[in-house]
Structures are given as C-alpha cells and as structure tokens.
Amino acid sequence: NAGVTQTPKFRVLKTGQSMTLLCAQDMNHEYMYWYRQDPGMGLRLIHYSVGEGTTAKGEVPDGYNVSRLKKQNFLLGLESAAPSQTSVYFCASRLATDTQYFGPGTRLTVL
Amino acid sequence: KQEVTQIPAALSVPEGENLVLNCSFTDSAIYNLQWFRQDPGKGLTSLLLIQSSQREQTSGRLNASLDKSSGRSTLYIAASQPGDSATYLCAVDYGGSQGNLIFGKGTKLSVKP
C-alpha cells in the first residue's frame, strides 16, 4: 500500500513550457486534491475532484488544468508555465469523511 | 471569508518543555479540524483529527482540543523532544461538496537539546 505518490519529485521549467504532474493513490479514495504551498501563503487549493470523471476549480485555478480519467489518478497540467507557478505542489486524497492523505510533493521551479 | 490563523509563527523551546500551539478560525461552522506535521522538504503527516462534536483528541504526547464557539483549537505537546522539531499546520474542514481543507500558515517549532 503505497498511499499517495507524486511524479516527478523535482522539475525545472523555462517560461512557456508545459508539463503534467501525476498523482496516484491506491486507497480507492473518491476525493482528490491539488494544493500549492508557497512561503508565507500556506497551502491553497488549485483544483479538486469528487470522483472519476469529475473536476472542479479551487481557490487558485488560473493557469492550471486537471483530469481524472481513472479513479486512482489525478493529473495537474501547466499549459504555459510562468515564474509565478514556482511552488511546491501537493496532492491529497480522502474518503468522504476521513482525514486527507498527502503525497510527498513536487518542487517546481519556473525560470 | 473563511480563514485559519496560527500563532506563533515560530517557537523555540528547550527539550523537555511542555508547549501549546494555537489555531483560530473565523467561521465556527466547521465539520472537523486536523493538525498536521510537516518536516522540511517533506509532505504532510496527519497527527490528530477532531470532529466538530468532539472536544479533544489524544495521541501519545499530543493532545488537541477544540472550542467551536470561540473558534479556537490548541495542540499541546508534552515533554518536547528534538525530534518534534517541524512545522505544525492546522486545517479546517467545512464539509460541503468540496471537502477541501482551509490551512493556517503553520507554526515552526524548534526543540533545542
């Protein structure tokens, strides 16, 4: 039982490049979330999903897209990376009323 | 706007001290509240979850209390150890269709040997 895993762990992009962050969970959780963590800002919700095939916007969705084609995977895409998207990205999953389980994070730097 | 505030932002104590971390939230209609631990460069580990109907939860040397009416929670750490050094995050779940957490900015704890 690996819990929540994130790929990649680190990435450096140039402005305008695109990339996809992968989150996978093996706990059969319905809910999945993408957060970003920035110094002095805490964790903020980017997008979330309440089940396979569904996605919705969170607090800071601009510049990101997501997909949940399979229940166990939640993908976060950056179509045209900007320096303001330099951050640590965390994925989390949960059952309906349980605690949230977090992945180890992806450190992204956009130059 | 639903906001979560943690005070202090940083705390340094000598080993063996008992300490209290504070969390306050603006909207008292919470579903549950969680305390997490985050080590440098790592993800978040859930420490304690308190349902809205509960007053406190305990795990080993950790005790978390919840006072919904005053919009406050505290995390009590007994007999602190250098291994307790980390950032502690408070997060509130307001329920609803999103089920996401509203996070405080954390308290960075340093326990000196």
Coordinates of all heavy atoms in Angstrom, one line a residue, chain B residues 46-92:
Chain B
S46 N -0.7 13.6 9.0 CA -1.8 13.9 9.9 C -1.5 13.4 11.3 O -1.0 12.3 11.5 CB -3.1 13.2 9.4 OG -4.2 13.5 10.3
L47 N -1.7 14.3 12.3 CA -1.4 14.0 13.7 C -2.7 13.6 14.4 O -2.8 12.6 15.1 CB -0.7 15.1 14.4 CG 0.7 15.5 13.8 CD1 1.1 16.8 14.5 CD2 1.7 14.4 14.0
L48 N -3.7 14.5 14.3 CA -4.9 14.3 15.0 C -6.0 15.0 14.2 O -5.8 16.0 13.6 CB -4.9 15.0 16.4 CG -3.9 14.4 17.4 CD1 -3.7 15.4 18.6 CD2 -4.5 13.1 18.0
L49 N -7.2 14.3 14.3 CA -8.4 14.8 13.6 C -9.5 14.9 14.7 O -9.7 13.9 15.4 CB -8.8 14.0 12.5 CG -10.1 14.4 11.7 CD1 -10.0 13.9 10.2 CD2 -11.4 13.9 12.3
I50 N -10.1 16.1 14.9 CA -11.1 16.3 15.8 C -12.4 16.6 15.1 O -12.5 17.6 14.3 CB -10.9 17.5 16.8 CG1 -9.5 17.4 17.4 CG2 -11.9 17.5 17.9 CD1 -9.1 18.6 18.3
Q51 N -13.4 15.8 15.3 CA -14.7 16.0 14.7 C -15.4 17.2 15.4 O -15.1 17.5 16.6 CB -15.6 14.8 14.8 CG -15.1 13.6 14.1 CD -15.1 13.7 12.6 OE1 -15.6 14.6 12.0 NE2 -14.5 12.7 11.9
S52 N -16.3 17.9 14.8 CA -17.0 19.0 15.3 C -17.7 18.7 16.6 O -17.9 19.6 17.5 CB -17.9 19.7 14.3 OG -19.0 18.8 14.0
S53 N -18.1 17.5 16.8 CA -18.8 17.1 18.0 C -17.9 16.8 19.2 O -18.4 16.5 20.3 CB -19.7 15.9 17.7 OG -19.0 14.8 17.3
Q54 N -16.6 16.7 18.9 CA -15.6 16.3 20.0 C -15.0 17.6 20.6 O -14.9 18.6 20.0 CB -14.6 15.4 19.3 CG -15.1 14.1 18.8 CD -14.1 13.3 18.1 OE1 -13.3 13.8 17.4 NE2 -14.1 12.0 18.3
R55 N -14.5 17.3 21.8 CA -13.8 18.4 22.5 C -12.3 18.3 22.4 O -11.5 19.3 22.4 CB -14.2 18.4 23.9 CG -15.6 18.7 24.2 CD -16.0 20.2 24.0 NE -15.4 21.0 25.1 CZ -15.5 22.3 25.2 NH1 -16.2 23.0 24.3 NH2 -14.9 23.0 26.1
E56 N -11.8 17.0 22.3 CA -10.4 16.8 22.3 C -10.0 15.4 21.7 O -10.9 14.5 21.7 CB -9.7 17.0 23.6 CG -10.1 16.0 24.7 CD -9.4 16.3 26.0 OE1 -8.2 16.5 26.0 OE2 -10.1 16.3 27.0
Q57 N -8.8 15.3 21.3 CA -8.3 14.0 20.8 C -6.8 13.9 21.3 O -6.1 14.9 21.4 CB -8.2 13.9 19.3 CG -9.6 13.6 18.7 CD -10.0 12.2 18.8 OE1 -9.1 11.3 19.1 NE2 -11.2 11.9 18.6
T58 N -6.4 12.7 21.7 CA -5.1 12.5 22.2 C -4.4 11.4 21.4 O -5.0 10.4 21.0 CB -5.2 12.1 23.7 OG1 -5.8 13.2 24.4 CG2 -3.8 11.8 24.2
S59 N -3.1 11.6 21.2 CA -2.2 10.5 20.6 C -0.9 10.7 21.2 O -0.1 11.6 20.9 CB -2.2 10.7 19.1 OG -1.3 9.8 18.5
G60 N -0.5 9.7 22.1 CA 0.8 9.8 22.8 C 1.0 11.0 23.6 O 0.2 11.4 24.4
R61 N 2.0 11.8 23.2 CA 2.3 13.0 23.9 C 1.5 14.2 23.4 O 1.7 15.4 23.8 CB 3.8 13.3 23.8 CG 4.7 12.3 24.6 CD 6.2 12.7 24.5 NE 6.7 12.6 23.1 CZ 7.0 13.6 22.4 NH1 6.9 14.9 22.8 NH2 7.5 13.4 21.2
L62 N 0.7 14.0 22.4 CA 0.0 15.1 21.7 C -1.5 15.1 22.2 O -2.1 14.0 22.3 CB 0.0 14.9 20.2 CG 1.4 14.8 19.5 CD1 1.2 14.6 18.0 CD2 2.2 16.0 19.9
N63 N -2.0 16.3 22.5 CA -3.4 16.4 22.8 C -3.9 17.7 22.1 O -3.3 18.8 22.2 CB -3.6 16.6 24.3 CG -5.0 16.9 24.7 OD1 -5.5 18.0 24.6 ND2 -5.7 15.8 25.0
A64 N -5.0 17.5 21.3 CA -5.6 18.6 20.6 C -7.0 18.9 21.2 O -7.7 17.9 21.4 CB -5.7 18.3 19.1
S65 N -7.3 20.1 21.4 CA -8.6 20.5 21.9 C -9.3 21.4 20.9 O -8.7 22.0 20.0 CB -8.5 21.2 23.2 OG -7.8 22.5 23.0
L66 N -10.6 21.4 21.0 CA -11.4 22.2 20.0 C -12.5 22.9 20.8 O -13.2 22.3 21.6 CB -12.1 21.3 19.0 CG -13.0 21.9 18.0 CD1 -12.4 22.9 17.2 CD2 -13.7 20.8 17.2
D67 N -12.6 24.2 20.6 CA -13.7 25.0 21.2 C -14.3 25.7 20.0 O -13.9 26.8 19.6 CB -13.1 26.0 22.2 CG -14.3 26.8 22.9 OD1 -15.4 26.8 22.3 OD2 -14.0 27.4 23.9
K68 N -15.4 25.1 19.5 CA -16.0 25.7 18.3 C -16.6 27.1 18.5 O -16.5 28.0 17.7 CB -17.2 24.8 17.8 CG -16.7 23.6 16.9 CD -17.9 22.8 16.5 CE -19.0 23.6 15.9 NZ -20.2 22.7 15.5
S69 N -17.2 27.3 19.7 CA -17.9 28.5 20.0 C -16.9 29.7 20.0 O -17.3 30.8 19.6 CB -18.6 28.4 21.3 OG -17.7 28.2 22.4
S70 N -15.7 29.5 20.4 CA -14.7 30.6 20.4 C -13.8 30.5 19.1 O -13.0 31.4 19.0 CB -13.9 30.5 21.6 OG -13.0 29.4 21.6
G71 N -14.0 29.5 18.3 CA -13.2 29.4 17.1 C -11.8 29.2 17.3 O -10.9 29.8 16.7
R72 N -11.5 28.3 18.3 CA -10.1 28.0 18.6 C -9.8 26.5 18.8 O -10.7 25.7 19.2 CB -9.8 28.7 19.9 CG -9.8 30.2 19.9 CD -9.5 30.8 21.3 NE -9.7 32.2 21.4 CZ -8.8 33.1 21.1 NH1 -7.6 32.7 20.8 NH2 -9.1 34.4 21.2
S73 N -8.6 26.2 18.5 CA -8.0 24.8 18.8 C -6.6 25.0 19.3 O -5.9 25.9 18.9 CB -8.0 24.0 17.5 OG -7.4 22.7 17.8
T74 N -6.2 24.1 20.2 CA -4.8 24.1 20.6 C -4.2 22.7 20.5 O -5.0 21.7 20.6 CB -4.7 24.5 22.1 OG1 -5.5 23.6 22.9 CG2 -5.3 25.9 22.3
L75 N -3.0 22.7 20.2 CA -2.2 21.4 20.1 C -1.2 21.5 21.3 O -0.3 22.4 21.3 CB -1.5 21.2 18.8 CG -0.7 20.0 18.7 CD1 -1.5 18.7 18.7 CD2 0.2 20.0 17.4
Y76 N -1.3 20.6 22.2 CA -0.5 20.5 23.4 C 0.5 19.4 23.1 O 0.1 18.3 22.8 CB -1.3 20.2 24.6 CG -0.5 20.0 25.9 CD1 -0.1 21.1 26.6 CD2 -0.3 18.7 26.4 CE1 0.6 20.9 27.8 CE2 0.4 18.5 27.6 CZ 0.9 19.6 28.3 OH 1.5 19.4 29.4
I77 N 1.8 19.7 23.3 CA 2.9 18.7 23.2 C 3.6 18.6 24.5 O 4.1 19.6 25.0 CB 3.9 19.1 22.1 CG1 3.2 19.3 20.7 CG2 5.0 18.0 22.0 CD1 4.1 19.7 19.6
A78 N 3.5 17.4 25.1 CA 4.1 17.2 26.4 C 5.6 16.7 26.3 O 5.9 16.0 25.3 CB 3.3 16.2 27.2
A79 N 6.4 17.2 27.2 CA 7.8 16.7 27.3 C 8.4 16.7 25.9 O 8.8 15.7 25.4 CB 7.8 15.3 27.9
S80 N 8.6 17.9 25.3 CA 9.0 18.0 23.9 C 10.4 17.4 23.8 O 11.3 17.4 24.7 CB 9.0 19.5 23.5 OG 9.9 20.3 24.4
Q81 N 10.7 16.9 22.5 CA 11.9 16.3 22.2 C 12.5 17.0 20.9 O 11.7 17.5 20.1 CB 11.7 14.8 21.9 CG 11.1 14.1 23.1 CD 10.7 12.7 22.7 OE1 10.8 12.2 21.6 NE2 10.2 11.9 23.7
P82 N 13.8 16.9 20.7 CA 14.3 17.5 19.4 C 13.7 16.9 18.2 O 13.5 17.6 17.2 CB 15.8 17.1 19.5 CG 16.1 17.0 21.0 CD 14.9 16.5 21.6
G83 N 13.2 15.7 18.2 CA 12.5 15.0 17.1 C 11.2 15.6 16.8 O 10.6 15.4 15.8
D84 N 10.7 16.5 17.7 CA 9.4 17.1 17.5 C 9.6 18.4 16.6 O 8.6 19.0 16.2 CB 8.8 17.6 18.8 CG 8.4 16.4 19.7 OD1 8.0 15.3 19.1 OD2 8.4 16.5 20.9
S85 N 10.8 18.8 16.4 CA 11.1 19.9 15.5 C 10.5 19.7 14.1 O 10.9 18.8 13.4 CB 12.6 20.2 15.5 OG 13.1 20.5 16.7
A86 N 9.6 20.7 13.7 CA 8.9 20.6 12.5 C 8.0 21.8 12.4 O 7.9 22.5 13.3 CB 8.1 19.3 12.4
T87 N 7.3 21.9 11.3 CA 6.2 22.9 11.2 C 4.9 22.2 11.4 O 4.6 21.1 10.8 CB 6.2 23.5 9.8 OG1 7.5 24.3 9.6 CG2 5.1 24.5 9.6
Y88 N 4.1 22.8 12.2 CA 2.8 22.2 12.6 C 1.7 23.0 11.9 O 1.6 24.2 12.1 CB 2.6 22.1 14.1 CG 3.5 21.1 14.7 CD1 4.9 21.4 15.0 CD2 3.1 19.8 15.0 CE1 5.7 20.5 15.5 CE2 4.0 18.9 15.5 CZ 5.3 19.2 15.8 OH 6.1 18.3 16.3
L89 N 0.8 22.4 11.2 CA -0.2 23.0 10.4 C -1.6 22.6 11.0 O -1.9 21.5 11.2 CB -0.2 22.6 8.9 CG 1.1 23.0 8.2 CD1 1.2 22.3 6.9 CD2 1.2 24.5 8.0
C90 N -2.4 23.6 11.1 CA -3.8 23.4 11.5 C -4.7 23.6 10.2 O -4.4 24.5 9.4 CB -4.2 24.5 12.5 SG -5.9 24.6 12.9
A91 N -5.7 22.7 10.1 CA -6.5 22.8 8.9 C -7.9 22.5 9.2 O -8.2 21.6 10.0 CB -6.0 21.8 7.8
V92 N -8.8 23.3 8.7 CA -10.3 23.2 9.0 C -11.0 22.7 7.8 O -10.8 23.1 6.6 CB -10.8 24.6 9.4 CG1 -12.3 24.5 9.6 CG2 -10.2 25.0 10.7

